[in-house]
Amino acid sequence: MRAAAFTGFGGPEHVTIESFDDPEPGPEEAVLQVEACSINHHDLWILNGDFWVGEDQLPYVAGMDVAGTVSAIGNDVEHLETGERVLLCPNQTCGSCRFCREGPESHCERFSLYHGGLAEYATVRADRLVPLSDAVDPVEAAALPVSYMTAFRMLEAAEVGPGDLVFVPGATGGVGVATVQLASVLGARTIGTSTSRAKLGRLEALGADHTIESGDPDEIRESVLEIGRVDATINHLGGPFSEVGLNVLRRGGRMVICGQTAGPTSTLTLDDLFLNQKRVIGSTMGTQGDLERLLDLVEGGRLDPVVHERYPLAETDRAFADMADRSAVGKLVVEP
């Protein structure tokens, strides 16, 4: 089979098409013929050499968000048949810690994420596959897992409901776009930021109620407060935007943080935190149940995952180049 593999670390020039042996499933696994796999900043960080993968693991095939058709199943798999259309939940959990037993599984003590979807075939855990109806385009389905699961779980952690005002710094990235769309589904209002007026126009078309064209934290703080204090901040940027996200909350407001794209450390004003009884909550991904609920929203016509562009497998390097230059609004999806 062919796969888009990282053969070195750095830029998209290290993404090349390589040949690998066709995979065979283990006893509890399935092999998918991949129809679509979206890419994420997590994949880009691996390509840049920032995450977990060493030179001894090259060539490395990334890709977490996989939709496809079951082409083979292991001997112990009873709930699947070949030919079924499915979507992979990329969560990798131990199955035995108290969080795996009692939930939520995203708290698993050995939580990790699947990689290997940027290929013609992918070997996956069979119990991580969610049925995909004929009504859902596999490209749209592949847009869901990482970005939309993460946003869905963050909105739940922030207890967002109808009428709430939600602040989304960096709202034109994958998690930001998903947050704006899902907040609208929940009946909440949103404030989104970006340094690009064109991207904000796209965000407004997706349902953002207020937009702020700025990347300056102090300027953003002032602009948000002019609109009004918010019930929740959904923060995938980290860095200096965490202090802003805390400052603009109303009394008793909640900020949920899932990333550190803008930096790994933040300064928080503690008297603002405790005197105003605000909450700061960490969040990673979501659960397989969350993914099933997201698919229900898509099938019911209440959510349209945003896909910026589709790429053939041979142009996976271009997909990573487009992600690196931050020109996209929505997901970049490879179709092997």
Side-chain angles (χ1 to χ4, degrees):
M1 71 170 187
R2 297 181 310 144
F6 300 164
T7 54
F9 298 117
E13 67 276 9
H14 295 291
V15 182
T16 62
I17 304 302
E18 302 286 328
S19 292
F20 295 86
D21 292 338
D22 289 344
E24 296 287 341
E28 298 180 347
E29 294 178 330
V31 174
L32 303 187
Q33 182 176 354
V34 179
E35 296 180 46
C37 180
S38 69
I39 64 172
N40 295 278
H41 272 94
H42 186 103
D43 303 307
L44 183 61
W45 291 331
I46 293 174
L47 176 60
N48 289 339
D50 298 331
F51 247 2
W52 300 333
V53 176
E55 290 190 1
D56 60 331
Q57 295 171 272
L58 301 177
Y60 186 83
V61 180
M64 299 179 280
D65 295 345
V66 185
T69 302
V70 177
S71 65
I73 56 175
N75 293 333
D76 295 342
V77 177
E78 298 180 350
H79 66 288
L80 286 175
E81 294 183 1
T82 58
E84 287 191 55
R85 300 176 72 246
V86 290
L87 176 64
L88 175 68
C89 175
N91 292 355
Q92 302 284 283
T93 55
C94 71
S96 59
C97 73
R98 69 186 183 96
F99 298 108
C100 287
R101 295 193 307 270
E102 301 169 11
E105 66 175 17
S106 53
H107 289 198
C108 172
E109 294 169 0
R110 291 183 287 280
F111 185 86
S112 63
L113 291 167
Y114 171 85
H115 284 285
L118 291 170
E120 292 176 322
Y121 292 90
T123 304
V124 302
R125 280 177 46 175
D127 62 353
R128 284 299 178 191
L129 294 173
V130 177
L132 191 59
S133 80
D134 291 338
V136 181
D137 182 341
V139 170
E140 291 188 348
L144 289 174
V146 171
S147 293
Y148 285 82
M149 281 173 65
T150 297
F152 189 88
R153 176 60 51 164
M154 292 174 78
L155 288 164
E156 285 206 331
E159 300 171 6
V160 171
D164 283 351
L165 184 59
V166 180
F167 171 47
V168 191
T172 54
V175 172
V177 168
T179 299
V180 168
Q181 290 184 282
L182 290 168
S184 180
V185 170
L186 294 171
R189 299 164 296 137
T190 50
I191 304 170
T193 78
S194 174
T195 58
S196 166
R197 181 65 253 171
K199 286 186 176 183
L200 288 175
R202 178 75 174 114
L203 197 68
E204 290 162 358
L206 292 170
D209 297 278
H210 307 276
T211 56
I212 298 168
E213 184 183 350
S214 178
D216 178 77
D218 293 329
E219 187 174 280
I220 290 172
R221 178 190 292 107
E222 294 176 7
S223 297
V224 172
L225 291 175
E226 287 176 5
I227 297 167
R229 289 197 174 273
V230 305
D231 299 280
T233 295
I234 304 299
N235 178 7
H236 70 94
L237 294 181
F241 297 95
S242 298
E243 184 175 13
V244 177
L246 179 70
N247 292 164
V248 301
L249 291 174
R250 65 164 175 78
R251 286 180 64 84
R254 292 81 59 194
M255 176 168 65
V256 184
I257 302 174
C258 76
Q260 55 180 27
T261 305
T265 59
S266 302
T267 300
L268 301 182
T269 307
L270 295 184
D271 60 346
D272 181 24
L273 180 66
F274 63 77
L275 291 176
N276 291 305
Q277 301 187 60
K278 301 176 180 180
R279 283 182 281 162
V280 178
I281 305 162
S283 185
T284 295
M285 286 291 287
T287 68
Q288 191 158 325
D290 293 337
L291 184 58
E292 292 170 348
R293 293 167 70 185
L294 288 166
L295 274 175
D296 287 342
L297 291 174
V298 176
E299 292 175 10
R302 300 181 63 197
L303 175 66
D304 293 317
V306 179
V307 175
H308 180 80
E309 189 168 348
R310 305 176 181 211
Y311 306 80
L313 186 67
E315 296 181 17
T316 304
D317 57 342
R318 183 167 66 86
F320 278 100
D322 289 348
M323 175 168 280
D325 73 14
R326 299 183 180 275
S327 60
V329 176
K331 301 296 291 184
L332 309 177
V333 183
V334 174
E335 296 180 275

